[in-house]
Amino acid sequence: MTSISTTGGGRVDPNAERRLGNPSDTKWSEIDKTRLYLIGTGLYSFLTVALHPLTVIKIRKQVGVTTPELPTSIISSSESVIK
């Protein structure tokens, strides 16, 4: 697949593909692995912590058991998770 890049005047830039490079040309040895692992681990941990309360609410609603101890609405489920 060939991409065409134009300059400001609508002209095709013949050197655009050579300058940008092809993403498939990136070699494993050229990647900063320390940065990749630190950022990847940090983002995964952040998303897990941020979405955990929503997961708890979802599971409580999927169980669907209505007892006096368990909240019945999403709002009351959210309040019980926050407490």
Side-chain angles (χ1 to χ4, degrees):
M1 181 175 176
T2 306
S3 62
I4 297 175
S5 177
T6 59
T7 59
R11 294 174 281 137
V12 175
D13 186 0
N15 297 323
E17 192 169 325
R18 189 176 321 132
R19 268 193 328 235
L20 297 175
N22 189 354
S24 64
D25 291 342
T26 304
K27 295 180 178 68
W28 181 250
S29 60
E30 296 172 351
I31 297 174
D32 183 7
K33 291 167 200 62
T34 304
R35 183 173 172 218
L36 174 72
Y37 291 135
L38 288 175
I39 291 173
T41 303
L43 285 175
Y44 175 79
S45 299
F46 172 76
L47 287 173
T48 302
V49 169
L51 295 176
H52 181 71
L54 293 175
T55 305
V56 170
I57 294 169
K58 177 188 75 166
I59 292 171
R60 286 184 182 182
K61 298 314 295 177
Q62 286 177 340
V63 170
V65 177
T66 55
T67 60
E69 309 86 53
L70 292 177
T72 56
S73 70
I74 292 177
I75 294 172
S76 58
S77 296
S78 302
E79 289 172 351
S80 69
V81 168
I82 292 172
K83 291 178 185 178

